[in-house]
Amino acid sequence: MKKSVPFAAVLVLVLSFALPVSAQMSPTAVVLTVNEQPVYSWEVGLLIPQIQQEMARQGMQPEQEMVVQASMQRVVDSKLLAQEAKRLKMQPNDERVKQTMAQIEKQAGGRAKLDEALAQLGMTYALLEASVIESDLVQVFIETTIDPQIAVSPEEVAAYYSEHPEMFQQPEQVHARHILMTAGADATEATKAAAQAKAVAARKRALAGEDFATLAIEVSEGPSAPQGGDLGFFGRQQMVAPFANAAFALEAGGISEVVETQFGYHVIKVEEKRPAKTMSLDEVREPLTEMMRQNQGGEATTKVLEKLAEAATIAQVAQGAAAPVAAGGE
């Protein structure tokens, strides 16, 4: 079982989505029971954005039903591990729970705004906190019972590196900044023309010698504007084709023509270029060790889950009956 995205980060995505599994289903509808503990529609919906992101990173474009089923399975796994943690008398890390709740409140814009957003989704602060506590119990279980089993030796890391050379090929990369004048695919011709004109004006200022980062902070409409338009290093496949083609055609210090993409109109400056290379063992040792630890941890957790699932009673509720939820989620 891979370590999940931090709960607070997931919630930021969730607050932009409708949580129920279907438009006709109440957030408090019961969709499953795990050892008689109900699984609610909002719990499954909570994970849907995360599952979608994970699948997208793997190049998958699954049907919604597949995403929902994967979300349900993730919730069932979490319930089983949390139930086992309770059986073993484990306790959540109270300080970590408090920090997570504080982070969620901060990212939501304060407690009042969080309560308002949750109310719109048919949820409450108590339900959210119960979910955070359950998530932390799973983490405590893994830290206590799984992590101590994991041991990856330097020899194993070196052997893996030697046996999988294709994994350590680093393609050509560029470090670039950009100025973006937004105009989405559905923008009117007038909006596109105005955005293009602003991009042309920004390019003229950059070519005249104004500092590109300062200019990006001032005029760019993209999310990287506060960082001076800095996109860091990226490979050709990480960007949409028109942007990548323009960026990789430039030399270090070069400024592009205005480039149109589905996001709008860009002016690109390349700060640095890195040629393709094979990364050395020393360069990848730390992340490779962590990857191998996570793989071992995932395999160990899967074995625990298989045993727990064999002994569990898991039932799907056909229509998803609405039910009151205790603050503890049980």
Side-chain angles (χ1 to χ4, degrees):
M1 185 176 177
K2 294 181 180 178
K3 291 184 178 179
S4 60
V5 176
F7 197 96
V10 174
L11 188 72
V12 171
L13 291 171
V14 168
L15 294 179
S16 301
F17 290 79
L19 279 179
V21 174
S22 75
Q24 294 76 36
M25 189 176 290
S26 164
T28 56
V30 180
V31 293
L32 293 168
T33 59
V34 180
N35 292 325
E36 299 186 357
Q37 180 183 359
V39 172
Y40 296 92
S41 175
W42 69 265
E43 294 182 279
V44 178
L46 187 69
L47 289 176
I48 284 176
Q50 180 183 342
I51 298 291
Q52 288 173 327
Q53 282 198 344
E54 290 175 2
M55 291 182 170
R57 283 196 295 268
Q58 297 171 24
M60 299 171 62
Q61 294 182 323
E63 297 291 332
Q64 182 69 7
E65 181 63 23
M66 181 183 294
V67 176
V68 170
Q69 290 298 322
S71 299
M72 285 185 178
Q73 185 61 57
R74 189 75 60 87
V75 174
V76 168
D77 290 348
S78 181
K79 297 287 183 190
L80 289 171
L81 293 175
Q83 289 171 4
E84 182 66 3
K86 291 176 182 178
R87 188 187 70 81
L88 295 172
K89 308 299 183 185
M90 295 179 183
Q91 298 296 321
N93 184 318
D94 291 338
E95 185 59 33
R96 191 162 57 198
V97 170
K98 289 179 183 177
Q99 289 176 357
T100 300
M101 293 303 296
Q103 184 182 0
I104 291 171
E105 286 187 30
K106 181 179 179 181
Q107 291 179 329
R111 175 64 184 270
K113 289 186 177 179
L114 175 60
D115 285 340
E116 181 182 349
L118 291 171
Q120 290 175 355
L121 299 170
M123 290 176 63
T124 65
Y125 188 89
L127 286 177
L128 176 62
E129 186 175 41
S131 187
V132 171
I133 290 171
E134 185 169 87
S135 178
D136 194 80
L137 263 179
V138 172
Q139 188 169 344
V140 169
F141 178 84
I142 291 173
E143 291 169 347
T144 305
T145 65
I146 303 297
D147 288 351
Q149 303 177 38
I150 308 305
V152 178
S153 69
E155 293 75 19
E156 288 174 313
V157 173
Y160 190 99
Y161 176 84
S162 298
E163 293 165 7
H164 301 85
E166 71 286 350
M167 288 182 60
F168 309 105
Q169 303 303 311
Q170 181 174 288
E172 180 186 13
Q173 293 184 316
V174 298
H175 174 198
R177 298 178 184 271
H178 79 141
I179 293 169
L180 169 63
M181 302 303 179
T182 57
D186 57 349
T188 65
E189 290 304 316
T191 299
K192 289 182 179 180
Q196 185 178 28
K198 288 190 290 184
V200 168
R203 180 175 183 270
K204 287 181 179 178
R205 291 174 64 181
L207 290 174
E210 290 193 44
D211 180 73
F212 196 93
T214 303
L215 186 59
I217 292 171
E218 178 188 340
V219 303
S220 180
E221 299 170 355
S224 64
Q227 292 78 46
D230 195 355
L231 299 172
F233 278 96
F234 55 86
R236 187 180 292 271
Q237 301 303 316
Q238 291 175 261
M239 298 293 179
V240 293
F243 190 99
N245 291 340
F248 280 85
L250 294 169
E251 295 300 324
I255 295 174
S256 73
E257 299 287 340
V258 174
V259 179
E260 181 181 4
T261 72
Q262 66 259 44
F263 305 107
Y265 295 88
H266 310 255
V267 181
I268 306 165
K269 180 181 180 182
V270 168
E271 300 284 1
E272 187 181 351
K273 300 185 80 169
R274 289 176 178 170
K277 69 169 187 175
T278 301
M279 291 180 284
S280 69
L281 177 57
D282 284 342
E283 287 179 291
V284 302
R285 189 185 306 278
E286 186 173 337
L288 179 55
T289 301
E290 179 58 25
M291 184 200 78
M292 293 176 69
R293 284 183 56 82
Q294 288 197 18
N295 288 346
Q296 283 191 22
E299 291 170 3
T301 305
T302 297
K303 290 179 181 178
V304 171
L305 282 168
E306 287 173 351
K307 290 182 180 179
L308 292 175
E310 285 177 5
T313 301
I314 301 170
Q316 187 158 355
V317 179
Q319 299 300 319
V325 189
E330 295 181 6

